[in-house]
Amino acid sequence: MLILSSVGVFLFCNINKPFVEDIDELHKQLITISGIFTALMLTILMPFFIERANERQLIINEYNKDCKRVAAFRAFVYHIRDFDMFESSSSLQFTYLKGRSFQEYKESSEFFSELYSLSNEGKVKGENIGRMELYGAIRDFAYDFPSGISFFSKYSEYTYSYEKLQYIHYCCNMIWYSLDRHNYLRQALNRSYSFHSTYWIGVMEKLIPFFSIEKTKLPLKDPANFVMSQAGEYEQIISNMLNKMHKILFELSPQNYSSISLDTIFILLFGLIMPLYTLLFKIPLFHNQVTGLICFTITITFIINFLIDVYKIFNKDNFKEKYENETRPLFDRRRY
């Protein structure tokens, strides 16, 4: 805008003076320069854009497969919320979890202090607090069937917002953590599974091939360990999905190339089409001069802008793999 404004002032100050005599030669040179530059742009950048587009589509395909696997695991976990192991903590669930998310409960220091006092006074069993918290993590992680007919739906491909994916990652981690930390929860889950309806156990087992890591089978004697290990694996899977979504939405988004597309359009319009137009048709000298200077200025401006945009794209920090070099262990207990 500064360059174009300066050109306008220059034209106004020199409105009665010819500033370019051989304007046709300027048009020809402009067409030559713009044509060569545009050809170089397409030759150099098109392979790069195609590579990025292919990479983005590959990540999208992988992400969609992950969505199906996560949805199947969430459908499996949904059935656990009806186990009788949670009956003893139903009053606590109603008091502390009803009407609020599990994360809101966990982040409330008021609830923590209240439950700690009740536990010390012997009014609430510590085991029931653990059962309630596992229930909350399972409830918020489980596949939420919009139709309400949950038991008749196996799983479906599910799309997530970035925030939703972050939340189920948090809940999945809490499922693993609760089962890993508390032996009594694993024992209760194993008992509940053995007493669960044969029909619904069959429904759960049919889901396993769709999400099981390395086709692991559910051990009938210790299903709690299976659920715990799967939750641990899916914490990592969902973490990778967040990284993939970040790339899809931000790093490899087509919007990153919109500025270069705009540069190309303006260079073609004012560097090739407009100068050709003035050569093909007889235009008054002054108008021809003004058109030539405007075309030249705009073309040079967008060539400079194009070079800046290319620098931004190829800048090492622009497409930096923000999560590839993460070194912390998956289940670092210091996080808790």
Side-chain angles (χ1 to χ4, degrees):
M1 294 302 297
L2 288 172
I3 295 173
L4 294 178
S5 299
S6 64
V7 171
V9 173
F10 179 79
L11 288 174
F12 180 79
C13 296
N14 295 274
I15 194 166
N16 295 318
K17 300 176 184 178
F19 44 85
V20 179
E21 294 182 358
D22 194 359
I23 190 65
D24 290 345
E25 185 63 26
L26 175 63
H27 287 320
K28 292 176 183 178
Q29 294 296 333
L30 190 59
I31 290 171
T32 302
I33 294 171
S34 300
I36 294 173
F37 191 82
T38 304
L40 287 173
M41 285 165 52
L42 297 176
T43 303
I44 295 171
L45 291 178
M46 282 307 293
F48 173 78
F49 291 156
I50 292 172
E51 179 185 352
R52 289 292 178 176
N54 290 338
E55 181 183 356
R56 187 172 190 268
Q57 189 58 50
L58 180 63
I59 294 174
I60 288 174
N61 293 338
E62 292 176 354
Y63 177 80
N64 288 335
K65 291 179 181 178
D66 291 338
C67 283
K68 290 182 178 181
R69 296 169 66 191
V70 171
F73 183 52
R74 293 178 70 207
F76 175 88
V77 170
Y78 182 92
H79 299 282
I80 299 176
R81 62 186 289 177
D82 292 316
F83 281 8
D84 59 7
M85 64 179 289
F86 299 117
E87 290 179 359
S88 59
S89 63
S90 58
S91 61
L92 291 176
Q93 296 168 25
F94 184 85
T95 304
Y96 296 99
L97 294 177
K98 189 173 178 62
R100 60 179 59 91
S101 71
F102 176 65
Q103 190 171 22
E104 288 173 335
Y105 157 77
K106 288 294 289 183
E107 292 177 352
S108 172
S109 57
E110 180 184 349
F111 291 157
F112 175 81
S113 300
E114 184 177 335
L115 286 168
Y116 183 78
S117 298
L118 291 173
S119 178
N120 285 341
E121 294 170 5
K123 296 180 180 179
V124 173
K125 291 183 179 180
E127 288 188 7
N128 288 338
I129 296 175
R131 290 172 192 243
M132 175 192 67
E133 292 186 344
L134 177 60
Y135 174 85
I138 289 174
R139 181 200 66 179
D140 289 10
F141 175 78
Y143 189 95
D144 44 351
F145 299 90
S147 64
I149 312 177
S150 60
F151 293 112
F152 296 98
S153 301
K154 286 187 178 180
Y155 75 99
S156 65
E157 182 175 353
Y158 204 93
T159 55
Y160 305 93
S161 67
Y162 196 77
E163 292 76 15
K164 177 71 173 179
L165 203 57
Q166 285 179 314
Y167 186 53
I168 65 171
H169 176 259
Y170 170 80
C171 294
C172 186
N173 174 67
M174 292 308 300
I175 292 171
W176 170 85
Y177 178 67
S178 295
L179 293 173
D180 178 68
R181 183 180 181 183
H182 302 298
N183 185 53
Y184 68 85
L185 288 177
R186 295 197 301 275
Q187 292 175 351
L189 195 152
N190 288 337
R191 279 196 306 271
S192 293
Y193 185 85
S194 63
F195 291 133
H196 203 42
S197 165
T198 304
Y199 174 77
W200 297 123
I201 288 178
V203 172
M204 293 173 70
E205 290 179 348
K206 287 179 182 178
L207 288 166
I208 292 174
F210 296 103
F211 70 82
S212 179
I213 309 299
E214 299 179 354
K215 305 301 179 184
T216 305
K217 293 183 179 180
L218 188 150
L220 297 178
K221 293 183 179 180
D222 192 10
N225 187 62
F226 171 81
V227 174
M228 182 181 68
S229 64
Q230 294 294 311
E233 293 285 355
Y234 270 90
E235 187 197 23
Q236 180 64 41
I237 290 172
I238 297 171
S239 178
N240 290 335
M241 288 175 68
L242 285 165
N243 297 343
K244 291 174 184 177
M245 183 180 280
H246 189 278
K247 286 187 177 183
I248 292 168
L249 293 179
F250 304 109
E251 296 181 17
L252 299 177
S253 171
Q255 293 181 354
N256 291 341
Y257 314 123
S258 59
S259 180
I260 282 190
S261 301
L262 190 66
D263 294 338
T264 306
I265 291 171
F266 272 88
I267 292 171
L268 287 173
L269 180 62
F270 292 97
L272 289 174
I273 298 174
M274 289 292 289
L276 281 173
Y277 176 83
T278 58
L279 290 176
L280 291 173
F281 298 94
K282 188 175 181 180
I283 298 176
L285 178 61
F286 177 74
H287 293 166
N288 202 7
Q289 291 173 331
V290 172
T291 303
L293 186 57
I294 290 175
C295 288
F296 178 80
T297 305
I298 292 177
T299 302
I300 295 301
T301 301
F302 277 94
I303 286 176
I304 294 171
N305 193 61
F306 170 81
L307 295 175
I308 294 172
D309 289 335
V310 169
Y311 171 77
K312 289 180 180 178
I313 283 183
F314 286 98
N315 182 15
K316 292 181 180 180
D317 292 334
N318 196 49
F319 285 105
K320 185 178 180 181
E321 305 293 342
K322 295 184 178 180
Y323 303 97
E324 287 294 324
N325 297 324
E326 186 114 344
T327 56
R328 68 170 178 80
L330 177 59
F331 300 128
D332 185 359
R333 294 184 182 278
R334 289 175 297 176
R335 287 191 293 164
Y336 309 111

